């Protein structure tokens, strides 16, 4: 039976560390500040934004939400971002995705000052990650790396398989695992015989958005299984991309949904905001 890797518990540990750092910053007269830009009234986005604001509040990070109409033009939105770039009180800027269809998300993300890009989605930060240079790292993969560290699993030389190649999860986690000396394979929707790869994975990261997609018989005994999925099953119940019941019988470690990767993503956003504030104030 697998050991459950609780993202909730590890996120609490991260937050406790951040509280100490934020206290020290406050003593120096620096209060980290995060501004979230929310376009439109998508219900899920509203919940995510509320959760981010709550997390800021719990840590003493100043948070501000800029709410904009879903009819705003791309150029008007980019103007708002330029103003936030120039605002000295703002350390981190996050544009909540998805944006309405008439707006190109890449153009908007590129408009964010890379020094305030706490989501790590700007091409400059993504490029730095690819080069293995320290930078703002995307929060979900950064959180996964912290979970792997906490599990004590040896990454050097391990076979890591990532299922999914999105810019926000699949590609950056592949780069981070490579930096940690794993041998990395990235699978996607056109991969032939997926289980021949997943069965060979010492570390398996799944980010497809397909409910209960990876079953126990696709997993190597003893593997570390990280389930990024936030899906709903046929009964509308929240579930992951990995079928937990069959997978936990085979894996060595497994992350649950909910309570796995999700809380780590928010904790890493807080961590990136503190990092942005320190850089902004020239504090090591
Ligand atoms: P995405 O952009 O939709 O990407 C999905 C990836 O899965 C694509 O690369 C796709 O391949 C691949 N895929 C689709 N069908 C496949 C198949 N049959 N076999 C192998 N690969 C397949 O998704 P995402 O944004 O990375 O998100 C993935 C999941 O993670 C979602 O459930 C999302 O809600 C969740 N998520 C959770 C958090 C968190 O904090 N917990 C954060 C981000 C995302 P192609 O490229 O070939 O299409």
């Amino acid at each position: 039976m697998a050991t459950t890797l609780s993202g909730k518990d590890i996120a609490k540990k991260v937050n406790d560390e951040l509280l100490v750092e934020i206290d020290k910053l406050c003593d120096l007269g620096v209060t980290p500040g995060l501004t979230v830009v929310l376009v439109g009234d998508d219900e899920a986005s509203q919940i995510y934004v509320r959760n981010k604001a709550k997390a800021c509040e719990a840590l003493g990070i100043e948070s501000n939400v800029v709410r904009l109409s879903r009819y705003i033009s791309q150029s008007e939105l980019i103007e708002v971002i330029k103003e936030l770039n120039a605002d000295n009180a703002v350390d981190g800027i996050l544009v909540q995705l998805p944006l309405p269809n008439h707006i190109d998300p890449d153009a908007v993300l590129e408009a964010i000052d890379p020094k305030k890009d706490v989501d790590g989605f700007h091409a400059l930060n993504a490029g730095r990650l690819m080069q293995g240079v320290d930078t703002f790292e995307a929060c979900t993969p950064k959180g996964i790396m912290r979970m792997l560290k906490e599990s004590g699993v040896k990454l050097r030389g391990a076979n890591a398989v990532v299922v999914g190649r999105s810019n926000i999860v699949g590609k950056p986690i592949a780069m981070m695992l490579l930096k940690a000396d794993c041998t990395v394979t990235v699978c996607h929707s056109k991969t032939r015989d997926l289980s021949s790869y997943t069965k060979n994975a010492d570390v398996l990261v799944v980010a497809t958005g397909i409910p209960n997609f990876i079953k126990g018989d696709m997993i190597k005994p003893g593997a570390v299984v990280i389930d990024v999925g936030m899906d709903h099953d046929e009964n509308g119940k929240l579930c992951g991309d990995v079928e937990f019941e069959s997978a936990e019988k085979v894996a060595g470690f497994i992350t649950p949904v909910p309570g796995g990767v999700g809380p780590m993503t928010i904790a890493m956003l807080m961590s990136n905001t503190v990092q942005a504030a320190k850089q902004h104030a020239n504090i090591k």
Side-chain angles (χ1 to χ4, degrees):
M1 218 51 162
T3 302
T4 301
L5 264 180
S6 166
K8 228 169 145 182
D9 292 350
I10 301 170
K12 177 160 185 329
K13 193 170 166 187
V14 172
N15 287 337
D16 288 345
E17 293 164 6
L18 288 174
L19 274 171
V20 175
E21 265 195 87
I22 292 166
D23 252 11
K24 283 188 196 153
L25 287 177
C26 286
D27 288 347
L28 296 169
V30 175
T31 306
L34 172 68
T35 294
V36 177
V37 179
L38 176 61
V39 181
D41 40 26
D42 178 76
E43 214 167 291
S45 293
Q46 310 241 29
I47 295 171
Y48 292 141
V49 168
R50 218 175 299 139
N51 288 342
K52 287 165 189 170
K54 265 195 217 158
C56 284
E57 202 184 321
L59 293 179
I61 292 175
E62 224 163 82
S63 81
N64 179 31
V65 182
V66 178
R67 292 173 196 277
L68 301 167
S69 154
R70 72 176 134 139
Y71 301 111
I72 192 170
S73 71
Q74 182 169 309
S75 54
E76 285 169 328
L77 175 55
I78 288 176
E79 275 315 306
V80 171
I81 289 171
K82 282 184 182 163
E83 280 167 28
L84 294 172
N85 286 342
D87 186 340
N88 215 27
V90 175
D91 296 307
I93 303 170
L94 179 154
V95 176
Q96 184 64 45
L97 300 176
L99 291 168
N101 288 336
H102 65 278
I103 298 176
D104 171 12
D106 290 336
V108 172
L109 296 175
E110 292 291 294
I112 298 173
D113 180 345
K115 294 193 206 75
K116 297 189 176 189
D117 172 37
V118 285
D119 245 347
F121 292 165
H122 191 287
L124 191 79
N125 287 320
R128 282 188 181 141
L129 173 65
M130 205 194 78
Q131 291 178 328
V133 176
D134 277 348
T135 190
F136 283 117
E137 295 177 334
C139 301
T140 300
K142 185 176 177 179
I144 293 171
M145 292 308 288
R146 178 66 191 257
M147 291 179 100
L148 290 173
K149 190 174 170 205
E150 294 286 333
S151 78
V153 65
K154 297 269 174 294
L155 292 178
R156 181 173 294 175
N159 282 336
V161 173
V162 179
V163 187
R165 56 174 164 179
S166 68
N167 287 338
I168 64 169
V169 187
K171 283 180 197 158
I173 190 64
M175 288 303 136
M176 291 178 198
L177 290 164
L178 194 58
K179 192 176 178 190
D181 293 329
C182 291
T183 302
V184 183
T185 305
V186 181
C187 301
H188 47 79
S189 68
K190 311 297 181 293
T191 298
R192 292 190 199 128
D193 192 8
L194 180 66
S195 60
S196 69
Y197 297 96
T198 58
K199 271 186 194 163
N200 195 30
D202 302 308
V203 177
L204 178 62
V205 180
V206 189
T208 64
I210 306 171
N212 299 317
F213 179 54
I214 300 290
K215 319 280 184 206
D217 62 2
M218 298 169 78
I219 294 170
K220 181 176 175 177
V224 182
V225 178
I226 307 287
D227 186 354
V228 184
M230 289 276 279
D231 314 316
H232 290 93
D233 67 12
E234 61 278 9
N235 304 313
K237 194 176 160 231
L238 183 64
C239 69
D241 292 354
V242 177
E243 189 184 67
F244 192 85
E245 293 69 27
S246 60
E248 73 166 342
K249 294 191 177 90
V250 187
F253 288 94
I254 188 166
T255 62
V257 177
V261 173
M264 292 303 293
T265 298
I266 296 205
M268 291 302 143
L269 174 64
M270 300 300 108
S271 160
N272 280 355
T273 303
V274 171
Q275 183 187 330
K278 281 165 83 174
Q279 286 171 5
H280 191 177
N282 274 323
I283 296 168
K284 294 267 173 226

